Amino acid sequence: MNNSELKKLFNSMTLSEKVGQMGQVTPDFFSNEGEITGPVAEMKLNSGELYSIGSILGTHKPEQVIDIQKKYLENNRLGIPLMFMADVIHGYETIFPIPLALASTFDTNLVKKVAQLSSKEAVGNGIHVTFSPMADLVRDPRWGRVLESNGEDPHLSSKLTQAYVEGYQGKSLLHKNTLASCVKHFLGYGSSEAGRDYNTVSVSDLELYQNHLPAFKAAIEAQVKLVMTSFNTVKGIPSSANKWLLGNVLRKELGFDGIIISDWGAIQELINHRIAEDSKEATRLAVEAGVDIDMMTSSYIKHLGDFIEDGEINIETINQAVWRILTLKNELGLFEDPYRGLMKLENLDQNLDNIRKELEPITRSVASDSLVLLKNEGILPIKTKSTKVGLIGPKAQTKDLLGAWSWIGDKSEVISIYEGLQEQFERLTLSTIDDTDSISKQDLVIVALGENSDESGEAASRSSIQLQQEQVELLKKVYEINQNVVVLLINGRPIDLTNIVNYCKAILECWFPGTSGGAAIADVLCGRVNPSAKLPMSFPASVGQIPIYYNYLSTGRPKNESNKDEKYISKYLDIANDPLYPFGFGLSFSNFECGKVEFSSGSLSKDAPIKITVTIKNLSNISGKTVVQLYIEDKIAEVARPVRELKGFTKVSVEPLGCEEVVFEITDKDLMYIHSNLKESADKGSFNVYIGFDSLAPKVGEFVLV
């Protein structure tokens, strides 16, 4: 539909039809089966309201989409089609590793590919919009939703957020396998106090602009189509009613011109925040702040029309929101084909089967690339198929490897760790702790530990991030019998491993690895895949260190080697300041070394960047990949700055006993930061450069910005 035709349609809409476009409900509202309960009963939508609604969230099968769309169009006066949205977070039915695991790959191309493939399967099921990526910066692993994130670093998160958006949306939404992307949650949700979901956020403007905004800015520059508000307050005002946040920051400063959608029920929750007396007042606050779509409340549908008719809200506010919604529907090609190709397929089930067959082997390779080797005292890889391998632990046979936001994933299709190891090892024994004789006779024992899928994710905050005590005791008992122990971790957040690290010879962080998880884990254990992933979040040595992150600000009394025994410095009495495993850390079966480093110049300017070349050597006989990381320290700045910041990363493959050159280009933009006036610029002066394989990389030189 061309722009003039869309305008003509828009001009023919009544006020109630416009208001309807700003509402969103679940498929249950279109089902006449069974007892009407829950939100469906509470919202009390009449037929006219229901058949003017703008979008649906949470359908499953393509047949369901076709039925609802057909029924809707038969009852919608102007034939304006519905948009169907869903949480396609790390796959649809075929499940990839959780986003935190994907972030461990430090591989933007891989993340983009996962988004493309997830889109293909979701579109085959009738989905038009995904509520992904989650760009929240996270530094507190007690918050369950860290599993949806890209981790603790703004630079890494920005690059991966951009990759997700580009992967989902492609070059045009008219392409049959693309999804419109909704980036979330705007803003600051990752700093929820005490790591408790839906809780208060209290951060400075400087912190918001410097660390929380960059990933959202990257999404907007990638032309993301929707932004979702967060549940938390910013400057004391909930995001869904925050004029400054949505109007000034998002619309004006970041230049976002797409759709702003609330999170589930967030507008009605303004009453619980006690800034709105009732649903009507919540409606006024949200629409004046700039929220275009009200997710799963009847606030807009029931009250917006009254505000317009009474002259309390300008009709132009409604017009702008509805125009944005119609524009996205048009970009998706829904006016020409409300079913986006589904009706043209002869066999919907066969189409989906073909897509899943295409995705299955890729989920295995992606999962193996996301596993982080945290410890290895020469016990891995397991060199022969005839090695006697014992397997024990609560995660040994579980199919619970998908993680949160895999609500459509079929656990019966999951490859368990036991099934994956069976494929690789001829002498595999599944043991219990009572099989002491069997355990003692194994060449090594694999102990599979971790969380259940409902122990991380939304509404899954934890005050303790250690493994359950019975799991720790199991590991210790196994270690007493046979000290050749390999620990596998299934989890959705950084775990405090201080109570287990000394009771094993190797630790492999597997996250929630997805549908092919067990096979991917076996591929790494046997050496078919050489691990190359790195931690996107620091692993604390104690929950008392949280929030812990590598790019902390300089303090007036920093702890260092020369003063570590002094009293009046920034330190703990009972533990070290450092995490157990730092950001960017991850081992390989290869032995890499940073060799010669060369700077193209000792200074840079706005028009003349510098190039830093480092030679990466593989000192082993095993081919492998690693992530080379470049960090910069601004030596003198207007405001307190981090001790170092990631500014570049490259995954490089190096042959046995070979070497490869990696080139980083540094521009003045890499040196910009948010000043006290909330404006971004770079200060002239000196900068230290650190290059290595994690955030503790050594200094390799310095340069001057002139």
Side-chain angles (χ1 to χ4, degrees):
M1 184 178 290
N2 61 41
N3 197 60
S4 62
E5 291 172 327
L6 192 63
K7 272 290 184 186
K8 184 178 179 181
L9 174 68
F10 173 79
N11 291 332
S12 66
M13 296 176 71
T14 65
L15 176 59
S16 62
E17 287 170 338
K18 289 178 179 179
V19 169
Q21 288 296 308
M22 299 173 69
Q24 183 176 88
V25 297
T26 63
D28 303 329
F29 285 77
F30 292 87
S31 173
N32 295 320
E33 300 174 5
E35 183 182 0
I36 304 300
T37 60
V40 180
E42 293 170 11
M43 288 175 66
K44 299 177 182 177
L45 300 184
N46 61 44
S47 178
E49 291 167 336
L50 184 60
Y51 289 106
S52 64
I53 209 84
S55 55
I56 303 291
L57 78 157
T59 54
H60 180 190
K61 291 293 187 182
E63 294 86 356
Q64 184 184 24
V65 170
I66 291 171
D67 288 344
I68 292 174
Q69 188 77 284
K70 184 177 180 181
K71 185 177 181 181
Y72 179 86
L73 290 173
E74 289 172 353
N75 290 275
N76 182 270
R77 183 178 72 90
L78 296 173
I80 300 174
L82 288 163
M83 268 192 298
F84 291 85
M85 308 187 187
D87 290 289
V88 186
I89 307 300
H90 51 111
Y92 193 74
E93 290 190 5
T94 306
I95 305 300
F96 289 94
I98 58 173
L100 192 64
L102 295 175
S104 299
T105 68
F106 278 64
D107 190 334
T108 56
N109 290 328
L110 181 144
V111 167
K112 185 175 180 179
K113 182 178 181 181
V114 167
Q116 289 171 335
L117 295 171
S118 298
S119 290
K120 189 172 184 179
E121 188 176 21
V123 168
N125 282 278
I127 305 303
H128 306 149
V129 177
T130 174
F131 298 125
S132 173
M134 190 180 100
D136 295 308
L137 184 76
V138 296
R139 290 170 167 173
D140 189 337
R142 293 173 299 178
W143 192 46
R145 299 194 76 164
V146 298
L147 72 77
E148 295 175 61
S149 79
N150 297 317
E152 72 186 45
D153 180 72
H155 180 74
L156 176 64
S157 184
S158 296
K159 295 296 184 182
L160 297 180
T161 296
Q162 177 185 344
Y164 275 112
V165 174
E166 292 176 349
Y168 289 132
Q169 296 189 167
K171 294 182 179 179
S172 170
L173 290 179
L174 291 177
H175 190 282
K176 64 178 182 178
N177 290 325
T178 55
L179 290 173
S181 175
C182 175
V183 67
K184 61 187 185 184
H185 307 84
F186 200 79
L187 183 69
Y189 196 27
S191 289
S192 187
E193 283 188 358
R196 198 168 75 242
D197 220 344
Y198 319 114
N199 202 16
T200 302
V201 167
S202 181
V203 295
S204 68
D205 289 353
L206 199 65
E207 172 72 6
L208 280 176
Y209 275 78
Q210 183 66 53
N211 293 320
H212 292 270
L213 268 183
F216 288 91
K217 183 179 179 181
I220 291 165
E221 289 175 349
Q223 300 184 350
V224 71
K225 298 301 179 181
L226 303 93
V227 171
M228 183 185 291
T229 62
S230 55
F231 285 119
N232 57 275
T233 58
V234 176
K235 291 186 167 184
I237 306 296
S239 294
S240 297
N242 199 310
K243 292 182 182 180
W244 171 79
L245 185 65
L246 302 183
N248 286 16
V249 179
L250 182 56
R251 291 291 189 204
K252 293 179 182 178
E253 295 180 24
L254 295 186
F256 178 64
D257 60 0
I259 295 170
I260 298 176
I261 184 171
S262 78
D263 208 334
W264 181 294
I267 292 177
Q268 193 75 8
E269 289 172 15
L270 297 178
I271 300 170
N272 293 338
H273 280 286
R274 293 190 293 116
I275 70 163
E277 183 177 2
D278 53 25
S279 179
K280 186 173 182 179
E281 177 67 5
T283 296
R284 184 184 65 79
L285 291 171
V287 79
E288 288 182 346
V291 178
D292 299 317
I293 296 179
D294 173 12
M295 183 193 291
M296 274 306 293
T297 86
S298 60
S299 297
Y300 277 13
I301 296 170
K302 296 297 185 183
H303 303 299
L304 263 184
D306 292 340
F307 279 119
I308 299 298
E309 291 173 356
D310 294 342
E312 295 184 50
I313 293 177
N314 192 323
I315 185 62
E316 188 56 29
T317 301
I318 306 301
N319 287 342
Q320 290 175 0
V322 175
W323 181 252
R324 284 189 280 263
I325 294 166
L326 294 181
T327 297
L328 180 56
K329 291 185 177 185
N330 197 35
E331 289 178 333
L332 287 161
L334 293 176
F335 290 104
E336 285 74 23
D337 181 4
Y339 306 97
R340 281 195 101 204
L342 293 182
M343 298 290 276
K344 299 175 184 177
L345 296 172
E346 294 182 3
N347 189 321
L348 292 171
D349 290 339
Q350 185 60 53
N351 176 62
L352 292 173
D353 286 343
N354 292 339
I355 294 172
R356 282 192 285 268
K357 287 177 183 177
E358 176 188 350
L359 267 57
E360 284 170 5
I362 302 173
T363 61
R364 179 170 179 167
S365 63
V366 170
S368 63
D369 282 345
S370 71
L371 308 184
V372 187
L373 185 61
L374 297 178
K375 178 179 180 178
N376 187 23
E377 295 179 354
I379 196 170
L380 296 178
I382 304 170
K383 294 183 172 59
T384 66
K385 292 179 72 70
S386 60
T387 300
K388 291 186 289 183
V389 177
L391 176 63
I392 193 172
K395 304 303 173 186
Q397 290 182 284
T398 183
K399 299 276 189 174
D400 186 17
L401 302 181
L402 299 181
W405 293 120
S406 55
W407 57 289
I408 297 176
D410 187 348
K411 285 187 179 181
S412 69
E413 296 180 358
V414 170
I415 300 174
S416 70
I417 294 172
Y418 179 60
E419 289 167 336
L421 292 176
Q422 279 184 312
E423 181 184 323
Q424 300 294 344
F425 301 106
E426 299 168 349
R427 304 174 72 182
L428 175 68
T429 302
L430 189 63
S431 303
T432 68
I433 195 58
D434 297 325
D435 300 329
T436 55
D437 186 56
S438 173
I439 292 172
S440 67
K441 292 179 179 178
Q442 305 304 318
D443 295 322
L444 61 87
V445 181
I446 297 170
V447 184
L449 308 172
E451 298 179 310
N452 299 324
S453 58
D454 59 0
E455 291 180 293
S456 58
E458 185 172 357
S461 301
R462 293 177 57 186
S463 63
S464 170
I465 55 169
Q466 290 187 330
L467 295 172
Q468 294 177 359
Q469 188 57 36
E470 54 264 37
Q471 294 191 25
V472 176
E473 292 303 318
L474 171 67
L475 174 63
K476 289 180 178 179
K477 289 177 181 178
V478 172
Y479 188 75
E480 287 177 1
I481 302 167
N482 188 332
Q483 295 189 356
N484 290 323
V485 172
V486 175
V487 169
L488 304 179
L489 293 174
I490 304 298
N491 50 292
R493 54 160 54 85
I495 298 288
D496 174 1
L497 302 175
T498 50
N499 57 355
I500 74 161
V501 70
N502 294 323
Y503 297 95
C504 58
K505 290 188 176 179
I507 301 175
L508 185 64
E509 173 56 78
C510 305
W511 310 110
F512 283 100
T515 304
S516 301
I521 291 167
D523 286 341
V524 170
L525 292 176
C526 74
R528 287 182 60 184
V529 174
N530 191 350
S532 60
K534 304 286 186 174
L535 292 179
M537 286 185 74
S538 304
F539 271 46
S542 167
V543 72
Q545 294 177 317
I546 293 170
I548 187 168
Y549 45 95
Y550 84 91
N551 47 351
Y552 56 89
L553 297 186
S554 299
T555 173
R557 296 189 180 186
K559 178 184 176 183
N560 53 48
E561 280 301 311
S562 63
N563 70 3
K564 62 183 179 180
D565 295 325
E566 294 182 14
K567 178 177 178 64
Y568 298 103
I569 57 173
S570 181
K571 68 175 183 178
Y572 298 104
L573 292 177
D574 51 346
I575 58 170
N577 289 355
D578 299 328
L580 184 63
Y581 295 111
F583 173 86
F585 177 81
L587 301 174
S588 168
F589 297 149
S590 304
N591 181 16
F592 295 106
E593 177 184 271
C594 284
K596 185 178 181 181
V597 179
E598 294 182 337
F599 287 65
S600 63
S601 174
S603 64
L604 69 80
S605 65
K606 183 176 181 180
D607 301 319
I610 64 172
K611 291 184 178 181
I612 303 174
T613 304
V614 56
T615 300
I616 305 300
K617 301 178 180 179
N618 183 350
L619 305 180
S620 71
N621 291 312
I622 303 173
S623 175
K625 295 181 291 185
T626 190
V627 179
V628 188
Q629 302 159 46
L630 180 145
Y631 298 83
I632 287 179
E633 176 192 15
D634 191 342
K635 295 175 73 172
I636 303 294
E638 187 225 11
V639 299
R641 300 286 292 125
V643 293
R644 61 178 66 186
E645 296 175 288
L646 181 70
K647 292 297 181 181
F649 57 90
T650 299
K651 181 164 280 191
V652 59
S653 179
V654 190
E655 293 301 311
L657 303 177
C659 61
E660 293 288 338
E661 283 190 348
V662 172
V663 180
F664 295 101
E665 182 175 273
I666 305 299
T667 71
D668 66 312
K669 290 185 178 180
D670 295 311
L671 310 179
M672 292 182 175
Y673 69 93
I674 303 298
H675 288 61
S676 58
N677 62 359
L678 301 185
K679 301 297 182 183
E680 188 177 42
S681 62
D683 296 336
K684 294 180 180 179
S686 299
F687 297 81
N688 289 329
V689 178
Y690 307 83
I691 295 179
F693 306 114
D694 58 48
S695 56
L696 300 179
K699 180 179 175 181
V700 297
E702 58 185 87
F703 63 84
V704 177
L705 174 64
V706 296

